[in-house]
Amino acid sequence: LSSLQPGMRVITTRLFADRNGLTQFLETVPIVRSEEASGDIPNLWRRLYEQFEASCRDGWRAKVEARWHYLKDAADIRMSEQIFLRRVGKPQDGIVSKFINRPLSRPITRLLLKFPIAPTTWTLSISALPFLSCVLLLRGDYAGILIGVAVYQLSSMLDGCDGEIARAKYLESKRGGRVDDFCDLMGGFFFMTGLGFGLGHAHGSAFYAVEGILWVLIMAANEFLLRIAKLETNLGSTDLTGALYPRHRQLIEHSGVLFFGERFVWWLLQLTKRDVGILFFLVLALAGLAPWILHLSLAIAAPGLLLTGITRIKTRAHGRGAVAPYSHL
């Protein structure tokens, strides 16, 4: 506040502020002034409020991407909430999350925000869905696999609510992120194990069960290597870096895959993200091609582990945090 021009600001319950919206409001809305230090107090407040309303209109016109809204009537509340929730997504969201999962999860988040539900509580609550999916997949028949994959898709959609709640309530934390990552990983383990054993039982072959277990082992090894490989990154701010989590940004840079170009890598990442994969699993289940869920998942996981292994080898060879950027290799 010390950097702002001195003067009076009138704040009323008709002001809806997004994240960092109050700062933007104070910086852009003209100051409300009154020359009267005393006198008719009720009339003074009425005039101040009228000035506030006029200042809000002027400030709104001056700011295209306003993170605050003046509520003219109760009907504006819903509009402001919808705009607010559209801004609590993540830049790392894949195509399916952005255009399918988020539009479906936001109304649920809007309802949850009316209750004192912590983000981690929601994360742990929906962790039962992948387990339920596993139980259904163990049946191995068409109906069991289709419903099991649909339940897993539902858990993927609801998984976005915890982050939306955290960002809406300013409750982001490393602990919450770790819990969410752990639950996602365990959910994947339940899903692939259930699908592998279910298909193995239905087809009378242990091959599918081996595929499921192998996927789990590869993903566990990949996760372990990602966590212990501490690397610096020299990637600038681009569309590619915006789509990556920090640890994956380091992996992409130091594994050498950028040799194929940022646009190629961007599309590769978009098409292999978890949200895209789960929706594609549902399409394969509908088409009666459930074994291909295992085949394709394994075909994607194995090269991913290879890239992580290359990054880890470079870390050990050059010293932690001292690997040359890909353009110099």
Side-chain angles (χ1 to χ4, degrees):
L1 291 178
S2 60
S3 64
L4 296 172
Q5 183 181 354
M8 182 183 296
R9 267 76 173 183
V10 179
I11 307 296
T12 81
T13 54
R14 290 179 177 267
L15 180 67
F16 187 101
D18 291 4
R19 289 175 64 90
N20 303 317
L22 187 58
T23 300
Q24 190 187 78
F25 170 82
L26 293 172
E27 291 174 346
T28 58
V29 173
I31 296 171
V32 175
R33 298 187 182 281
S34 175
E35 302 300 330
E36 302 178 32
S38 60
D40 191 346
I41 300 301
N43 283 332
L44 172 62
W45 278 112
R46 179 179 56 79
R47 287 193 295 274
L48 288 172
Y49 174 74
E50 290 171 353
Q51 290 181 42
F52 166 78
E53 191 175 30
S55 295
C56 284
R57 287 196 298 268
D58 294 340
W60 176 265
R61 285 196 295 267
K63 198 74 177 174
V64 178
E65 276 297 319
R67 290 190 170 272
W68 56 271
H69 311 278
Y70 176 73
L71 307 178
K72 297 185 293 295
D73 51 51
D76 285 344
I77 295 175
R78 183 177 180 83
M79 175 271 296
S80 295
E81 289 177 344
Q82 290 173 342
I83 294 173
F84 170 66
L85 287 173
R86 280 201 295 269
R87 289 172 171 164
V88 295
K90 294 188 297 185
Q92 295 89 2
D93 282 345
I95 299 170
V96 172
S97 285
K98 190 174 296 183
F99 296 106
I100 298 178
N101 290 355
R102 291 291 182 191
L104 293 174
S105 68
R106 284 181 200 126
I108 299 171
T109 299
R110 184 170 176 267
L111 177 64
L112 293 173
L113 286 171
K114 300 181 185 296
F115 300 94
I117 298 177
T120 304
T121 302
W122 181 255
T123 302
L124 296 174
S125 297
I126 65 168
S127 64
L129 290 176
F131 179 76
L132 174 60
S133 173
C134 177
V135 173
L136 291 165
L137 292 168
L138 286 171
R139 292 176 48 178
D141 59 0
Y142 178 81
I145 289 176
L146 180 58
I147 298 173
V149 176
V151 170
Y152 194 51
Q153 168 63 31
L154 176 64
S155 73
S156 176
M157 183 197 76
L158 295 177
D159 185 48
C161 293
D162 53 3
E164 291 170 351
I165 293 171
R167 288 183 289 276
K169 292 185 174 183
Y170 293 85
L171 294 176
E172 304 101 316
S173 67
K174 291 183 178 179
R175 176 180 174 273
R178 287 194 294 267
V179 171
D180 188 42
D181 290 342
F182 177 77
C183 288
D184 287 346
L185 189 64
M186 293 305 299
F189 290 174
F190 279 126
F191 178 81
M192 287 298 176
T193 303
L195 181 61
F197 279 90
L199 288 173
H201 173 73
H203 291 82
S205 171
F207 174 75
Y208 299 108
V210 171
E211 271 195 310
I213 293 173
L214 186 58
W215 184 91
V216 169
L217 293 175
I218 288 175
M219 292 305 295
N222 189 69
E223 188 68 19
F224 174 74
L225 290 176
L226 276 175
R227 291 190 177 278
I228 64 174
K230 304 295 185 181
L231 301 171
E232 294 179 354
T233 177
N234 297 292
L235 285 175
S237 179
T238 65
D239 291 341
L240 177 60
T241 55
L244 293 169
Y245 291 98
R247 60 184 182 148
H248 294 138
R249 189 179 307 161
Q250 298 159 356
L251 170 64
I252 290 297
E253 179 177 0
H254 295 291
S255 65
V257 72
L258 280 169
F259 171 80
F260 298 100
E262 285 196 5
R263 180 53 54 184
F264 172 83
V265 175
W266 187 89
W267 277 108
L268 181 65
L269 289 168
Q270 293 301 318
L271 295 176
T272 56
K273 282 197 172 185
R274 179 172 174 268
D275 56 324
V276 176
I278 294 174
L279 183 62
F280 189 56
F281 293 167
L282 184 58
V283 173
L284 290 173
L286 279 167
L289 300 173
W292 280 97
I293 297 175
L294 285 171
H295 304 334
L296 293 174
S297 297
L298 201 56
I300 293 172
L305 179 60
L306 178 62
L307 292 178
T308 306
I310 292 172
T311 302
R312 180 57 181 159
I313 291 171
K314 289 180 178 179
T315 304
R316 295 177 65 87
H318 295 275
R320 182 168 296 179
V323 181
Y326 74 94
S327 58
H328 296 160
L329 296 179

